[in-house]
């Protein structure tokens, strides 16, 4: 399950934090795309991956470079291919969050609550504890609690 951080100070020193998902994706993650990315790209952006760096858009079947994916899709792919890093969630829409919150591994950060209605379980981490949350309302409460 993914781990969520709500304060930057809670991110361990040995973990890299990535704020700019678009740039990170374009410079790093795009090189790693394989069949695991196909369903995610289709689900979030409605596009079809047709080669390593090309996709067919849902708009008039135009062929575009993968750097034209939405920021939410890029964030999800960043987490999928780089589970040891922490990625900012602020550019994710609900369709991206639903996929992201279903991952078995990965790390994300947001200072405010970003929660899809459909979620199974996530791990949350503060400086003092790490715990698992299985409920939308409980996660919302954790995010709003000030330490």
């Amino acid at each position: 399950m993914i781990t969520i951080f709500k304060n930057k100070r809670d991110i361990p020193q040995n973990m890299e934090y990535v704020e700019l998902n678009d740039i990170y994706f374009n410079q790093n993650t795009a090189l790693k795309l394989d069949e695991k990315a196909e369903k995610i790209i289709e689900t979030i952006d409605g596009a079809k991956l047709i080669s390593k760096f090309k996709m067919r858009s849902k708009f008039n079947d135009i062929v575009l470079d993968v750097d034209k994916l939405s920021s939410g899709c890029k964030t999800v792919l960043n987490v999928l291919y780089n589970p040891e890093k922490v990625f900012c969630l602020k550019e994710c829409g609900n369709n991206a969050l639903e996929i992201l919150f279903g991952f078995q591994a990965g790390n994300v950060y947001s200072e405010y609550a970003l929660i899809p209605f459909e979620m199974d379980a996530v791990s949350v981490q503060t400086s003092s504890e790490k715990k698992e949350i299985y409920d939308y309302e409980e996660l919302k409460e954790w995010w709003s609690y000030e330490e």
Side-chain angles (χ1 to χ4, degrees), residues 94-116:
N94 205 49
N95 59 347
L97 292 172
E98 286 178 1
I99 292 173
L100 194 57
F101 277 52
F103 280 179
Q104 294 303 307
N107 299 283
V108 295
Y109 159 80
S110 180
E111 61 193 24
Y112 50 87
L114 289 167
I115 311 167

Side-chain angles (χ1 to χ4, degrees), residues 26-37:
N26 294 342
Q27 293 177 349
N28 300 282
T29 305
L31 301 170
K32 300 177 180 182
L33 296 183
D34 59 16
E35 65 279 347
K36 293 185 295 188

Side-chain angles (χ1 to χ4, degrees), residues 6-7 126 129 139-147:
K6 66 177 176 180
N7 293 306
T126 63
E129 73 173 328
L139 182 57
K140 188 175 171 184
E141 184 179 316
W142 172 81
W143 233 309
S144 61
Y145 176 74
E146 292 293 326
E147 289 183 18

Side-chain angles (χ1 to χ4, degrees), residues 71-131:
S71 295
C73 189
K74 288 180 180 181
T75 301
V76 171
L77 293 168
N78 282 340
V79 173
L80 176 67
Y81 288 97
N82 306 280
E84 73 287 354
K85 299 180 187 317
V86 180
F87 292 93
C88 181
L89 277 183
K90 69 182 172 188
E91 297 176 314
C92 286
N94 205 49
N95 59 347
L97 292 172
E98 286 178 1
I99 292 173
L100 194 57
F101 277 52
F103 280 179
Q104 294 303 307
N107 299 283
V108 295
Y109 159 80
S110 180
E111 61 193 24
Y112 50 87
L114 289 167
I115 311 167
F117 290 114
E118 298 295 324
M119 62 160 278
D120 292 324
V122 296
S123 175
V124 295
Q125 186 167 336
T126 63
S127 56
S128 60
E129 73 173 328
K130 184 173 184 171
K131 68 178 184 173

